[in-house]
């Protein structure tokens, strides 16, 4: 194969490694990066005349896309000034890029109405900041405030309220197009009307933090909801005579389901079962909080104090209530793989499927024309390097050092 037209006007580079596509792993494959895009993918001998970087036994996967992430490296999304939120979201996106996340949806916890509006404006601001070391901020996921008080989890019950079309409109105005996902408890008054209105406005509505039974959850999907927030957590259990929201979501081909794939929120065996039950519809998320990447201690989730011990975060005031995670996407994929999920399926749950949830058509797949967002993985699935838009953003061992050309390439 020859290098496609256009390759000569910008830097082109071939990575030779195992290439993880949505269907399978190309054992000895190659991938041609041309500026900010992938221009060709193949197996066998790489294109003649190209600069080839042989990555040996390493693998190239699409960059991970996290739909549910509250923080990391000491910062959280919720904040009280637009500038503070924008800075925090950028810092969080930098941290997660070192773990293979190339794009994320900044996720809020329930908060006072004005604080939530400010936070959404801050996320919108963060999207306009060009930071060459950060994952791309695609928009906002509002986890609440329209949630069930009895399923608040680590959300501040004081900030839970009834679904409101007027608040929805205020949020949409503040977000200026950044609002991608909203988690809602469909049994709350007016929830179905809000689901219809938000769906019509282009927001993906997600069922979560809910007491809804099977029929109510099904009604939410019929009203337009298409996603379930951290399936199994903060909702009624799956029981054989009371299938609840878990069965409603797993059984519905219209619906994608989030799994906090840390092996703590959901047992590895159940993670694998859920991935099998919802083929092509399972989404690995982190639900990571500010403590992610840091050591044991006390941290904040929204206004609530939480305590990290080992890999487990719980409310400081209620040690039995999990309060998000300290998970990163690389560990999520490794946890799924260790649970017996085939590697290409585990990677798909962290890439193509979450991209499809929010209509990010140029992300999540290593195919010609897609954004050159990718993660280079060691055989043990740890991150060797991260590339976003054809630019190296994380390469601690200077694996890609000979490719200085792509380091200086402009991001789109
Ligand atoms: Zn969350």
């Amino acid at each position: 194969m020859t290098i496609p037209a256009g390759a000569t006007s910008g830097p082109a580079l071939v990575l030779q490694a195992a290439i993880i596509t949505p269907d399978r792993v190309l054992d000895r494959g190659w991938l041609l990066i041309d500026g900010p895009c992938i221009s060709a993918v193949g197996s066998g001998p790489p294109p003649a005349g190209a600069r080839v970087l042989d990555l040996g036994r390493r693998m190239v996967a699409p960059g991970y896309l996290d739909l549910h992430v509250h923080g990391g490296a000491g910062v959280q999304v919720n904040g009280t000034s637009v500038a503070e939120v924008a800075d925090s979201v950028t810092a969080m996106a930098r941290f997660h890029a070192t773990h293979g996340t190339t794009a994320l949806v900044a996720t809020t916890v329930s908060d006072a109405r004005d604080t939530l509006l400010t936070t959404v404006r801050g996320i919108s601001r963060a999207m306009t900041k060009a930071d060459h070391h950060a994952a791309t901020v695609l928009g906002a996921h509002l986890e609440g405030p329209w949630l069930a008080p009895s399923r608040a989890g680590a959300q501040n019950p004081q900030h839970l309220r009834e679904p409101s079309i007027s608040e929805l409109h205020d949020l949409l105005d503040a977000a200026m197009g950044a609002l991608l996902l909203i988690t809602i408890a469909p049994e709350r008054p007016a929830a179905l009307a809000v689901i219809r209105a938000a769906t019509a406005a282009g927001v993906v509505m997600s069922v979560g933090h809910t007491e809804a039974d099977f029929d109510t959850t099904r009604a939410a999907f019929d009203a337009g909801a298409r996603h379930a927030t951290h399936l199994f957590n903060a909702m009624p259990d799956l029981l054989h005579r009371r299938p609840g929201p878990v069965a409603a979501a797993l059984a519905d081909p219209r619906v994608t389901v989030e799994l906090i794939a840390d092996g703590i929120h959901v047992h590895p065996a159940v993670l694998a079962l859920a991935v099998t039950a919802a083929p092509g519809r399972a989404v690995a998320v982190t639900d990571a909080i500010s403590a992610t990447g840091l050591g044991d201690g006390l941290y904040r989730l929204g206004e609530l104090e939480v305590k990290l011990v080992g890999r487990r975060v719980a409310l400081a005031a209620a040690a039995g209530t999990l309060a998000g995670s300290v998970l990163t996407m690389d560990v999520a994929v490794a946890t799924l793989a260790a649970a017996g999920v085939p590697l290409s399926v585990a990677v798909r749950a962290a890439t193509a499927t979450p991209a499809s949830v929010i209509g990010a058509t140029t992300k999540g797949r290593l195919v010609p024309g897609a954004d050159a967002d990718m993660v280079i993985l060691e055989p043990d699935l740890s991150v060797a390097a991260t590339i976003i838009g054809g630019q190296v953003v994380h390469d601690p061992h200077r694996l890609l050092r000979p490719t200085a050309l792509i380091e200086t390439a402009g991001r789109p």
Side-chain angles (χ1 to χ4, degrees), residues 68-70 107-109 143 155 209 229-230 260 287-288 301 324:
H68 190 151
V69 52
H70 299 283
T107 306
T108 61
V109 291
E143 192 180 16
Q155 302 256 347
H209 286 272
T229 297
H230 47 53
I260 304 176
D287 200 11
L301 179 57

Side-chain angles (χ1 to χ4, degrees), residues 263-329:
I264 297 171
H265 282 78
V266 182
H267 190 282
V270 179
L271 286 175
L273 267 178
V275 170
T276 305
R281 298 188 287 113
V283 175
V285 297
T286 63
D287 200 11
I289 69 159
S290 60
T292 310
L294 303 176
D296 287 3
L298 293 170
Y299 297 92
R300 295 221 158 256
L301 179 57
E303 298 162 329
L304 300 183
E305 191 164 60
V306 301
K307 188 173 183 183
L308 170 65
V309 181
R311 294 197 305 122
R312 191 177 188 282
V313 210
L315 286 182
T321 301
L322 291 177
S325 84
V326 289
L327 183 61
T328 47
M329 289 299 282

Side-chain angles (χ1 to χ4, degrees), residues 351-404:
T351 57
T353 307
S356 74
V357 172
I358 54 170
T361 53
T362 62
K363 300 207 178 287
R365 295 183 312 139
L366 298 179
V367 294
D371 295 345
D373 291 1
M374 61 196 77
V375 54
I376 297 169
L377 299 170
E378 299 289 355
D380 68 358
L381 302 180
S382 61
V383 172
T386 309
I387 297 173
I388 301 176
Q391 184 168 12
V392 179
V393 300
H394 174 69
D395 183 19
H397 306 301
R398 302 193 158 237
L399 186 69
L400 302 169
R401 186 166 168 68
T403 65

Side-chain angles (χ1 to χ4, degrees), residues 208-228:
H209 286 272
T210 177
E211 288 291 356
D213 60 11
F214 181 86
D215 291 336
T216 306
T217 308
R218 177 61 66 84
F221 297 146
D222 288 342
R226 288 291 178 267
H227 194 64

